[in-house]
Amino acid sequence: MAKPQEKVSFGQRLKQIGMVFKFTAKQDRWFAPLVAAAVLIPLALTVVAVILWSWIWLPIGILFVLLAVLIVLNLRSNKAMMNAAEGQPGAAAQIMENMRGDWRVTPAVSSTTQMDMVHLVIGRPGVILLAEGNPQRVRGLLGQEKRRLSKVIGSAPLHDYVIGQDEGELPIRKLRTTLLRLPRALSGKDVNSLDKRLKALTARPQMPKGAIPKNMRPPGAFRQSRGR
């Protein structure tokens, strides 16, 4: 079952908004001018309305200012986050974990030491595999995961995407809209049942392919292999 969302206090919410403001302003050079416009234009119209008609327009104007700022913040912060996430390992899984709705995300169910990875997502559209990394290597990982999952998902739809900018790949900035447009093929009960089956399948961690770094080798592994 999806974890219930914890209640956020008003102070914590304001702190979160402040952090988003700082992050967006750092990533997007147009953010500050657009916020200034979102404040000044409605405020100027409010002043005119108060002079011509009544003070009743003052609270209405303040609400319009807050609404305009929130709209600018939402649009520009999403773009800034997509720009910052592009090319970062694990970005697709992080975006999915922060999406609204019932999405069950298991990052890096399959990976290599070259930072190629495949993420598993379960939701109303079915089972979704998101691959990040070198296109040639991740397509091999995708094929392995599809064969492995086909044994337990039954008739549930299986979608797979390679995240990237080349032809046939899905740009990370289009990830949210692409998945939200997928047809809803499963009920909530089906999602829960499928999640339990796939958690049992992926419970055993897989070691990345390729040479294992020394700091990841179990103690005594080399001595045991020589003693055989």
Side-chain angles (χ1 to χ4, degrees):
M1 296 289 290
K3 294 182 180 180
Q5 294 183 348
E6 297 181 358
K7 291 184 178 180
V8 181
S9 66
F10 181 72
Q12 290 175 324
R13 182 70 67 185
L14 288 179
K15 186 177 180 180
Q16 290 175 352
I17 294 175
M19 292 174 62
V20 174
F21 257 93
K22 290 180 181 179
F23 171 80
T24 308
K26 185 178 180 181
Q27 296 289 330
D28 184 0
R29 64 190 181 95
W30 288 105
F31 177 65
L34 288 172
V35 170
V39 172
L40 294 177
I41 293 175
L43 195 59
L45 294 175
T46 300
V47 172
V48 172
V50 168
I51 294 174
L52 294 180
W53 291 290
S54 169
W55 284 97
I56 196 172
W57 287 98
L58 182 59
I60 297 175
I62 293 174
L63 290 177
F64 272 110
V65 169
L66 293 175
L67 179 60
V69 171
L70 289 177
I71 290 174
V72 171
L73 176 62
N74 182 56
L75 294 176
R76 305 305 293 189
S77 64
N78 284 336
K79 183 177 180 180
M81 284 188 286
M82 292 299 104
N83 291 336
E86 199 162 0
Q88 298 295 322
Q94 186 175 6
I95 290 172
M96 291 303 305
E97 288 175 336
N98 292 320
M99 275 182 61
R100 293 182 179 180
D102 188 9
W103 302 96
R104 321 290 175 90
V105 184
T106 305
V109 292
S110 183
S111 62
T112 71
T113 54
Q114 291 85 14
M115 300 302 291
D116 309 305
M117 58 191 72
V118 175
H119 312 297
L120 172 65
V121 180
I122 308 168
R124 297 291 296 275
V127 180
I128 304 165
L129 293 173
L130 303 175
E132 294 183 279
N134 181 278
Q136 295 180 350
R137 292 194 295 262
V138 296
R139 291 189 191 281
L141 292 179
L142 273 177
Q144 294 175 11
E145 285 303 310
K146 289 168 71 174
R147 289 191 294 271
R148 192 165 72 105
L149 296 178
S150 63
K151 302 174 182 178
V152 294
I153 66 174
S155 59
L158 177 59
H159 311 273
D160 62 276
Y161 301 94
V162 176
I163 305 300
Q165 296 292 334
D166 295 333
E167 186 177 354
E169 298 176 355
L170 177 64
I172 197 166
R173 63 184 66 248
K174 295 183 179 180
L175 177 60
R176 293 173 184 256
T177 55
T178 299
L179 298 193
L180 290 174
R181 289 174 182 172
L182 291 175
R184 295 327 189 224
L186 302 179
S187 65
K189 185 177 179 181
D190 294 333
V191 172
N192 290 332
S193 176
L194 190 58
D195 188 25
K196 291 179 181 178
R197 296 203 303 271
L198 293 184
K199 277 183 178 177
L201 180 67
T202 58
R204 184 179 179 182
Q206 295 184 343
M207 291 298 294
K209 293 185 176 181
I212 302 175
K214 292 181 179 180
N215 60 353
M216 292 180 62
R217 295 175 183 170
F222 180 70
R223 293 193 299 271
Q224 291 174 6
S225 63
R226 288 190 61 183
R228 291 183 180 178

